[in-house]
């Protein structure tokens, strides 16, 4: 199966968020073709969660799992560590008091 480029996925994700009036920003531009994507959900109350995509070897499914959650400063520190390991990493920050990130919707897995 053909995989989407990272840039294509990011652009589609940002468009879907805009359609739902959920602010989101690219805070780190990764490799356009094959960069991994990390999504930070900022609930604007000092708390945050960072999601990364995982691959289930048994089922072959991809899903979004929490990489870090808690105080925003701690989540930011975790993201910085990930960027040190992977300079091609995309980081998207979603800001929503209701905690919406849309990663569980069809087509975004």
């Amino acid at each position: 199966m053909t995989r989407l480029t990272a840039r294509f996925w990011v652009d589609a994700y940002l468009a879907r968020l805009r359609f739902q009036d959920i602010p989101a920003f690219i805070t780190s531009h990764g490799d356009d073709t094959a960069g991994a994507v990390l999504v930070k959900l900022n609930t604007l109350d000092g708390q945050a969660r960072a999601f990364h995509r995982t691959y289930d070897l048994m089922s072959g499914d991809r899903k979004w799992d929490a990489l870090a959650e808690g105080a925003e400063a701690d989540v930011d520190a975790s993201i910085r560590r990930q960027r040190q390991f992977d300079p091609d990493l995309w980081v998207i920050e979603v800001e929503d008091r209701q905690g919406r990130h849309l990663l569980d919707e069809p087509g975004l897995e």
Side-chain angles (χ1 to χ4, degrees), residues 87-101:
D88 293 330
L89 182 70
W90 288 80
V91 180
I92 300 170
E93 182 164 345
V94 177
E95 296 180 344
D96 188 66
R97 291 185 192 282
Q98 298 172 38
R100 298 175 297 165
H101 50 70

Side-chain angles (χ1 to χ4, degrees), residues 4-104:
L4 299 176
T5 65
R7 181 64 196 227
F8 187 88
W9 188 92
V10 167
D11 288 344
Y13 180 56
L14 293 174
R16 192 175 290 192
L17 290 166
R18 275 192 305 273
F19 183 71
Q20 297 292 324
D21 292 324
I22 301 171
F25 313 91
I26 297 171
T27 59
S28 180
H29 186 289
D31 182 78
D32 281 345
T33 311
V37 178
L38 192 146
V39 175
K40 174 187 170 188
L41 173 62
N42 182 348
T43 52
L44 305 171
D45 61 357
Q47 299 293 302
R49 286 186 286 167
F51 297 93
H52 67 134
R53 221 155 116 186
T54 60
Y55 183 77
D56 184 340
L57 293 173
M58 297 301 284
S59 68
D61 293 336
R62 291 183 170 271
K63 65 178 186 167
W64 290 93
D65 282 329
L67 173 69
E69 55 188 300
E72 184 178 8
D74 295 338
V75 172
D76 287 341
S78 178
I79 292 170
R80 275 193 300 279
R81 285 190 299 276
Q82 291 298 314
R83 292 248 332 115
Q84 289 174 341
F85 295 125
D86 185 359
D88 293 330
L89 182 70
W90 288 80
V91 180
I92 300 170
E93 182 164 345
V94 177
E95 296 180 344
D96 188 66
R97 291 185 192 282
Q98 298 172 38
R100 298 175 297 165
H101 50 70
L102 308 182
L103 294 172
D104 49 359

